[in-house]
Amino acid sequence: MTIALIILGAGMGTRMNSDMPKVLHHIAGAPMLVHAMKSGAALAPERTVIVAGHGADAVGKAAQAYDPDAVIALQCEQLGTGHAVAEAREALDGFDGDAIVLYGDTPFIRPETLAAMTAARLTHDVVVLGFEAADPGRYGRLIMQADQLDRIVEFKDASDEERAVSLCNSGVVAANARTLFELIDAVSNDNAAGEYYLTDIVGIARAKGMSATVVQCPEAETMGINSRAELAAAEDVFQTRARNAAMADGVTLTAPETVFFAHDTVVGRDTIIEPHVVFGPGASVETGATIRAFSHLEGCHVARGSVVGPYARLRPGAELAEDVKIGNFVEIKNAQIAEGAKVNHLSYVGDADIGARSNIGAGTITCNYDGVFKHKTTIGADAFIGSNTMLVAPVTVGDAAMTGSGSVITKNVPSGDLAVARARQDNKPGFATRLLEKLRAKKAKGNK
């Protein structure tokens, strides 16, 4: 069965009190729109259409950053969900498979749930995703007749008897694309809100003799986000799931509630993650690594057996081979650290290649930026970089070479050489004592 996704993301999100379109607010380092796209992507859709309105350019840019083939359809007027779906018609011209309608502000629908909906489509014309609500509140109600979904009633249009129903509508719908648009054509706006409800297609379908049914999911999957408080609650939901999944996969979290994952974090089993570690997007950690407390990892890869932190920062492009040691207050950016190398204390290594088993002393800095361009530092295998060395790139230090502590290295260091680049020490006998006596006398005179 070929699938197309229609993801609605045109709302302003007034309660967010933000200039940013609602669907671009982040959960776990990615716009909530991307979370919805990722769920749908598990179905390998032939087409993905994002219906955008407020901030359409920004919404389109975010969507196509995740899926360059996504098509953006514009909803210039907010006339209801039925109208929003209808705006995807042109983008699906000639498509004869199934369409699934998702929502950019409902990011937690699981791929397994969508797969269950596509399976139900084999025996029913229209499939709606529903849930049993602990507090049905103002949700639309799903009115069943035996195993058939008879109609969906919006809360504001529901009778007291219908409001007593606890089976509620998520808004997610699956149907043949052509059928979906034919049903939407028959929708009117004769209702309390004067809008074109997507939900009306169920009653129209049943009146035409079509079948409709409900696939149920846990209420938590249908969480919609309309405010900053709900955004924070959604972040908490994501992190709780991610932590539990990591531990179930064999990762040790010594203080789970303090570890924060990104939407795409990958961690291998037997990894130990200490308290207060934060993963930004694009981080992966192999089996048996240790990420020590208060470290931040983003856009990086950590191979097995490596130790990172505490208080370390791995920035995009950091690539750690096996058994690497990155210690406290060390920052690595766009650098490859080869097997067994150590950068243990208070150092910045950016735009660099560090050879196997090399030792980078405390306070080392690769001076990679000249104010306009970035330049590369290359350090060979088994090198020893003395503490407080400044490596002014572009520069190369060869295999088994050394630099003296406090050196400013501006020229290449051949393999096996020792480079010392600092002023000769000159001791002034008795000068410190005489200087202090002079300063103390001056201070005493000034106080009088």
Side-chain angles (χ1 to χ4, degrees), residues 3-25:
I3 299 292
L5 302 178
I6 302 173
I7 303 179
L8 306 188
M12 291 182 64
T14 304
R15 282 190 283 158
M16 283 288 187
N17 192 22
S18 174
D19 294 330
M20 183 188 299
K22 177 171 66 170
V23 298
L24 297 189
H25 287 269

Side-chain angles (χ1 to χ4, degrees), residues 178-410:
R178 290 184 181 179
T179 300
L180 177 64
F181 291 123
E182 289 172 1
L183 293 172
I184 286 174
D185 285 341
V187 172
S188 78
N189 64 347
D190 185 16
N191 52 58
E195 294 185 349
Y196 296 91
Y197 293 149
L198 177 63
T199 50
D200 285 353
I201 68 170
V202 172
I204 295 168
R206 297 289 286 131
K208 291 177 175 290
M210 297 180 184
S211 63
T213 193
V214 174
V215 167
Q216 292 192 44
C217 70
E219 183 175 2
E221 283 190 47
T222 68
M223 172 187 271
I225 298 165
N226 297 293
S227 67
R228 304 281 183 163
E230 290 173 351
L231 185 68
E235 183 74 39
D236 185 58
V237 167
F238 179 93
Q239 295 301 335
T240 298
R241 289 183 183 178
R243 294 163 187 154
N244 289 339
M247 290 186 287
D249 288 340
V251 177
T252 295
L253 305 180
T254 57
E257 69 281 1
T258 70
V259 174
F260 287 81
F261 292 101
H263 66 104
D264 58 355
T265 304
V266 177
V267 181
R269 68 178 183 175
D270 292 325
T271 288
I272 298 172
I273 301 177
E274 294 183 359
H276 301 287
V277 171
V278 176
F279 292 92
S284 61
V285 180
E286 291 187 15
T287 296
T290 299
I291 311 300
R292 302 192 65 190
F294 293 97
S295 295
H296 187 283
L297 291 76
E298 179 175 0
C300 61
H301 175 254
V302 178
R304 65 177 59 217
S306 290
V307 178
V308 175
Y311 295 96
R313 185 183 183 195
L314 301 186
R315 291 172 58 193
E319 178 74 30
L320 276 53
E322 294 184 4
D323 300 316
V324 164
K325 300 291 193 298
I326 301 297
N328 51 292
F329 302 103
V330 170
E331 180 176 337
I332 309 292
K333 189 272 294 187
N334 191 32
Q336 291 71 49
I337 315 297
E339 183 176 357
K342 298 178 181 179
V343 189
N344 272 329
H345 320 283
L346 304 158
S347 295
Y348 170 73
V349 177
D351 298 292
D353 283 344
I354 309 298
R357 300 171 303 281
S358 286
N359 187 91
I360 309 302
T364 295
I365 296 175
T366 58
C367 306
N368 56 331
Y369 184 49
D370 64 9
V372 179
F373 298 105
K374 295 291 181 71
H375 301 280
K376 186 173 183 178
T377 298
T378 301
I379 298 173
D382 301 301
F384 185 92
I385 305 301
S387 297
N388 204 37
T389 295
M390 304 291 110
L391 296 153
V392 182
V395 69
T396 296
V397 177
D399 294 344
M402 301 177 70
T403 67
S405 295
S407 292
V408 179
I409 304 300
T410 59

